[in-house]
Amino acid sequence: MKIVVIGGSGLIGTKLVHNLRELGHEAVVASPSRGVNAVTGEGLAEALDGAQVVVDVANSPSFEDKAVLAFFEASSRNILAAERAAGVKHHVALSVVGTDGLQQSGYFRAKLAQEQLIEASGVPYTIVRATQFFEFVTGIIYMSTEGERVRLPSALVQPIFSEDVAAALVDYAIGSPVNGIVDLAGPEQLRLDEFIKRYMSANQDSRQVITDVNALYSGAGLNEHSLVPGDNARIASTRYEDWLSRSMSQ
């Protein structure tokens, strides 16, 4: 099949394109560096010509409330319109577990807007909500740092390796549309503060992690289960400790 990957040059996109090509599919990298800009619509029609499937794994370059909403609304509208014109049979989008319960956050309001546009588009679709990637630890540390302290809530997380996300997206891309939402998560639950502490310890980062139940995550308050998947989630195999060990040895 011809499968167009929006955001195909990013963390997940590059792995997904590689995996699809290994299986013999025509995987097209659609990103601004390749002349395809979903926000402006530039190059979309040409990229989608003859495509059966589009997988959107693009992320906003800015997480500022207005900018991130503008990004996901404009890109989604343009992609979905181009898909309808091209006769695309399946739209797959990567989203985040717990999105609809994290609406204090501008980022998650934007992700929910993206999901709602997909659901209303008339294009057969699968929305894949993944948990936090192992690789996001540095970003979480950055947004939670106050001086020499990293302040985090103790809510549960069930993080996942980016390679496992890409592998799952292959299956969804070549499978039939679900016309709904599926959850994707790693094999073990951790506390968010412990998730970060283990990474910092492995990297000999001396900053102190402060556990604060009222601390925000990406601008949203969390309850115990805000970031963990539902009962029918697809569970990946790579454990956090194994990823940490490999990361430290590289």
Side-chain angles (χ1 to χ4, degrees):
M1 290 190 289
K2 179 179 178 181
I3 301 173
V4 177
V5 181
I6 308 291
S9 57
L11 173 66
I12 299 298
T14 53
K15 302 176 195 300
L16 176 58
V17 167
H18 171 78
N19 292 348
L20 289 168
R21 288 175 177 170
E22 286 285 297
L23 293 174
H25 297 287
E26 181 189 353
V28 176
V29 177
S31 63
S33 64
R34 300 296 183 91
V36 182
N37 189 322
V39 174
T40 65
E42 177 190 0
L44 273 176
E46 294 81 2
L48 268 59
D49 184 35
Q52 289 81 40
V53 180
V54 171
V55 185
D56 184 5
V57 295
N59 208 353
S60 173
S62 170
F63 283 11
E64 188 276 324
D65 286 3
K66 290 183 179 178
V68 71
L69 181 63
F71 175 87
F72 282 115
E73 287 190 331
S75 62
S76 296
R77 287 194 177 104
N78 287 334
I79 294 164
L80 292 162
E83 288 174 358
R84 287 191 293 267
V88 170
K89 303 301 183 186
H90 190 186
H91 178 97
V92 181
L94 181 60
S95 191
V96 188
V97 162
T99 286
D100 42 5
L102 298 168
Q103 293 298 291
Q104 287 175 280
S105 163
Y107 181 80
F108 289 106
R109 288 195 296 273
K111 290 301 289 183
L112 186 61
Q114 177 192 27
E115 291 183 1
Q116 290 171 339
L117 286 166
I118 294 165
E119 291 166 347
S121 70
V123 178
Y125 69 92
T126 302
I127 295 170
V128 182
R129 285 183 174 177
T131 53
Q132 288 65 38
F133 305 165
F134 296 158
E135 292 89 346
F136 285 177
V137 285
T138 54
I140 295 171
I141 292 168
Y142 176 79
M143 73 180 185
S144 305
T145 295
E146 303 170 356
E148 289 300 305
R149 295 182 172 186
V150 182
R151 189 174 300 277
L152 291 160
S154 60
L156 291 168
V157 291
Q158 199 166 329
I160 187 169
F161 185 26
S162 62
E163 295 275 5
D164 291 336
V165 175
L169 284 171
V170 169
D171 292 342
Y172 290 119
I174 64 178
S176 299
V178 171
N179 290 317
I181 296 170
V182 294
D183 282 357
L184 176 62
E188 55 190 340
Q189 290 189 356
L190 307 167
R191 296 288 174 182
L192 181 57
D193 53 348
E194 181 64 21
F195 175 45
I196 300 305
K197 280 180 185 177
R198 286 166 65 177
Y199 178 84
M200 292 174 66
S201 176
N203 283 273
Q204 299 181 330
D205 188 327
S206 61
R207 286 176 293 179
Q208 184 180 8
V209 175
I210 304 297
T211 303
D212 179 356
V213 294
N214 296 314
L216 302 180
Y217 176 79
S218 192
L222 302 180
N223 63 41
E224 185 82 343
H225 296 95
S226 295
L227 300 177
V228 295
D231 293 337
N232 297 317
R234 172 170 170 160
I235 304 300
S237 61
T238 307
R239 298 176 65 84
Y240 185 45
E241 198 62 42
D242 296 333
W243 175 80
L244 265 181
S245 297
R246 289 205 298 269
S247 299
M248 294 306 103
S249 65
Q250 291 176 353

